[in-house]
Amino acid sequence: MIDANRGIITGESLVGGIAVKGNGSDFKAWNPALNAHIEPSFHTADADQIDQACRLAGTAFDTFRATTDQERAAFLDTVAEQIVAIGDDLIERAMAETGLPRVRLEGERGRTVNQLKLFADLLREGSYRDVRIDSALPERAPPRPDLRYRLIGVGPVAVFGASNFPLAFSVAGGDTASAFAAGCPVVLKAHPAHPGTSELVARAVVKAVELCGLPAGVFALLTGVGNAIGQTLVAHPEIQAVGFTGSRFGGMALMAVAAARPQPIPVYAEMSSINPLFLLPGALKARGADIAQQFAGSLTMGVGQFCTNPGLVLGIAGPDFDAFAHAAAAALGGVAAGTMLTAGIAGAYQQGVAALAGQQGVKTLALGAHAEGKGGAALFVTSADAFLVEKALHGEVFGPVSLLVACRDVEEMRRVTDHLEGQLTATLQLEEDDYDAAATLLPALERKVGRILANGFPTGVEVSTAMVHGGPFPATADGRSTSVGTGAILRFLRPVCYQNLPQRLLPDALRDGNPLGIWRRRDGVLGKE
Ligand code: NAP
């Protein structure tokens, strides 16, 4: 029996509801604030454990997906309760492993719990199954059969914990919550940057599985370092989809593994985005100094380690843009370098900033001091002409750095937009006299991004029904999906149509006079019976 609430960390993987010690290499978590290892040692999962976790997930799938929506909602609520029950041990361990402050991690725990509850509510409400019924038309020539449609879970899902959200996008984060809601077992690859936090949460999930009487294969935690775990996991024939947040390189590597399988599977990877901010002329004139202050806050929040960080700012060259640049540089100059999540992320950030500083046509406006493991804020400016020819300026540098691009006019802003890669977000800073300019940009923005904001900042993603946290490649591997909000469940569902099945063989939700009173779509209209 797993003891979830005592802050126990043994460094083991959790497979089949029990802790197992892997034969792979041992490692310790790293405290990035103290530059020191943290006890205990973790034992990297071996191939047998990965295989067993995936097989058990495959075996558990039919039982898990046969649970009612109410039962899975209760399970999600229980996971949330068990996470809260870990108490302060969870926050302290996460602080030690990430260098993130208490207030951020307490907030993130709240978000994690709310995400689980949001999916529980979605299940209780029921419309996610998108039930469609085309009744038989026997008199028609040719006759139409009775057709009934619903969505079911795709099967076991491999989820990769993200380094930058140790709670909300890790073990019981958004990917896991949406997969569970869809009735899919989860095999979780813990991020090696926060293995103790991962184990604590995983024990809470295992406890919830026990309390709800579900098969132990519904959830497994694989701990460890090295690409082999993730690659073996994604290649395993039982795994039917992948949820990933991390680097473009890692995401692409896993997409290649998934595509090379005898049965290729979808990978929902969220990888890189520079989230352009458009400073339209009216807004720049009216509020340039304010926008500069808020921009500096958004850029440096969490030491810039957010996928929605505003890494690109487009404005129209002139005195207002120069004043904005000056004010933003001054605001960033006042922000102390912060501890980054891992030594690797800090190293990549420092290299990325140095590369930007060395680019032809790029002028440095602010360059915070770097120290080991820390990231100082940086701001650069270039022209649209230089940006359009230099692809190296278009990529994500993960951390508190942004590039200002001076455009001649709105038409040039649109041209720059056309040359951008896919993005999670785009933000328009605008006043009423900017609406025409914004309207000319919108079609290009819709093609490029998953979320378009007005007069806000992209960091801080609301977890709700209408949220889209996705976007065309490389923001994500599949721009038709979102990884935040209730729409995230669709990644792990697929449609099944039942043609002329006898009532007794139909799933409850598709039967005539369905006692659940579930949502049905008739003649293109969705309504509750
Ligand atoms: P990462 O290196 O991509 O690692 C994410 C996860 O994938 C880890 O569990 C990692 O574990 C695994 N992995 C990485 N490469 C793999 C490969 N080739 N094959 C199989 N598994 C692989 O990301 P990270 O450690 O979080 O941060 C590194 C960089 O990712 C950052 O500097 C930043 O550029 C980017 N990042 C972006 C976002 C975003 O939201 N856009 C968020 C976080 C990070 P193993 O290394 O043990 O295999």
Side-chain angles (χ1 to χ4, degrees):
M1 167 92 49
I2 289 289
D3 202 346
N5 306 338
R6 307 258 189 282
I8 291 172
I9 298 172
T10 62
E12 292 162 291
S13 293
L14 304 177
V15 177
I18 56 170
V20 291
K21 190 169 174 176
N23 283 328
S25 53
D26 287 358
F27 71 105
K28 284 184 179 166
W30 180 254
N31 183 323
L34 301 180
N35 280 329
H37 284 294
I38 319 171
E39 295 299 329
S41 286
F42 288 81
H43 315 289
T44 295
D46 54 49
D48 285 347
Q49 289 159 352
I50 299 169
D51 180 54
Q52 202 199 354
C54 295
R55 281 175 192 276
L56 287 170
T59 310
F61 177 46
D62 272 344
T63 311
F64 189 38
R65 73 187 183 85
T67 53
T68 64
D69 289 340
Q70 313 299 318
E71 286 166 340
R72 282 199 315 295
F75 170 54
L76 292 173
D77 283 343
T78 309
V79 172
E81 282 158 22
Q82 290 298 316
I83 290 171
V84 171
I86 304 168
D88 212 41
D89 288 339
L90 179 62
I91 301 299
E92 292 202 343
R93 182 74 195 194
M95 286 168 68
E97 290 186 335
T98 63
L100 294 171
R102 169 175 287 278
V103 62
R104 150 75 196 269
L105 288 164
E106 287 178 346
E108 199 180 316
R109 177 176 57 188
R111 174 178 163 168
T112 308
V113 164
N114 287 341
Q115 281 174 170
L116 289 158
K117 289 182 178 298
L118 182 74
F119 283 104
D121 289 345
L122 180 73
L123 293 178
R124 292 193 175 102
E125 178 261 347
S127 65
Y128 78 97
R129 282 209 189 271
D130 193 13
V131 166
R132 303 168 191 214
I133 298 176
D134 295 329
S135 306
L137 297 175
E139 311 305 328
R140 198 191 71 175
R144 185 171 79 182
D146 182 87
L147 298 165
R148 299 179 186 230
Y149 168 115
R150 70 161 181 168
L151 299 175
I152 67 164
V154 292
V157 176
V159 173
F160 286 73
S163 59
N164 60 339
F165 279 97
L167 300 173
F169 261 82
S170 283
V171 175
D175 287 341
T176 299
S178 51
F180 280 163
C184 299
V186 168
V187 181
L188 194 295
K189 155 73 170 74
H191 197 288
H194 49 79
T197 307
S198 299
E199 186 180 329
L200 289 173
V201 177
R203 284 174 178 271
V205 179
V206 170
K207 185 80 192 167
V209 170
E210 281 172 15
L211 289 172
C212 294
L214 296 170
V218 162
F219 176 78
L221 171 84
L222 300 173
T223 198
V225 275
N227 295 167
I229 304 179
Q231 302 206 356
T232 309
L233 175 59
V234 172
H236 197 286
E238 292 288 356
I239 297 299
Q240 295 301 307
V242 179
F244 170 93
T245 301
S247 66
R248 186 165 174 167
F249 183 81
M252 296 283 288
L254 295 172
M255 285 162 68
V257 172
R261 292 166 41 124
Q263 176 223 1
I265 53 169
V267 176
Y268 297 99
E270 197 222 295
M271 295 172 287
S272 88
S273 180
I274 52 174
N275 306 296
L277 188 66
F278 294 81
L279 304 175
L280 295 180
L284 206 48
K285 187 167 285 312
R287 304 181 274 114
D290 269 4
I291 298 171
Q293 284 295 333
Q294 292 173 44
F295 159 73
S298 174
L299 184 69
T300 54
M301 185 192 289
V303 201
Q305 298 164 112
F306 288 119
C307 35
T308 49
N309 212 38
L312 186 71
V313 181
L314 306 174
I316 293 176
D320 291 337
F321 189 57
D322 292 345
F324 169 85
H326 186 74
L332 291 170
V335 180
T339 300
M340 299 195 83
L341 291 160
T342 68
I345 287 177
Y349 175 66
Q350 292 175 9
Q351 273 179 22
V353 168
L356 275 175
Q359 281 290 342
Q360 247 193 344
V362 172
K363 191 175 144 201
T364 302
L365 297 177
L367 192 56
H370 289 316
E372 198 189 333
K374 294 195 172 203
L379 188 66
F380 300 98
V381 65
T382 193
S383 66
D385 288 338
F387 186 81
L388 285 169
V389 295
E390 184 47 83
K391 282 284 171 199
L393 300 178
H394 295 219
E396 180 187 55
V397 177
F398 195 62
V401 58
S402 196
L403 175 65
L404 310 187
V405 177
C407 304
R408 268 178 223 105
D409 49 27
V410 173
E411 179 48 31
E412 191 160 55
M413 271 185 175
R414 200 194 50 74
R415 218 169 25 254
V416 170
T417 308
D418 280 339
H419 284 78
L420 292 176
E421 295 187 302
Q423 306 290 334
L424 294 170
T425 73
T427 303
L428 296 163
Q429 289 290 342
L430 77 177
E431 293 290 307
E432 209 166 332
D433 51 345
D434 294 318
Y435 287 4
D436 286 346
T440 66
L441 292 171
L442 272 173
L445 297 182
E446 285 168 346
R447 267 188 275 114
K448 292 285 174 180
V449 319
R451 177 165 58 112
I452 302 168
L453 301 80
N455 292 336
F457 289 87
T459 43
V461 180
E462 182 72 28
V463 181
S464 67
T465 307
M467 177 50 67
V468 172
H469 190 67
F473 181 87
T476 69
D478 187 337
R480 293 167 299 177
S481 63
T482 174
S483 60
V484 176
T486 52
I489 195 174
L490 295 174
R491 298 172 302 167
F492 306 127
L493 291 169
R494 68 178 181 82
V496 177
C497 173
Y498 305 81
Q499 182 168 333
N500 284 342
L501 254 71
Q503 287 286 316
R504 227 187 89 197
L505 296 182
L506 284 170
D508 282 350
L510 296 184
R511 286 188 196 163
D512 289 344
N514 157 34
L516 302 174
I518 208 154
W519 291 78
R520 289 173 186 275
R521 187 187 292 272
R522 282 187 197 276
D523 302 326
V525 180
L526 193 67
K528 196 145 189 169
E529 286 207 333

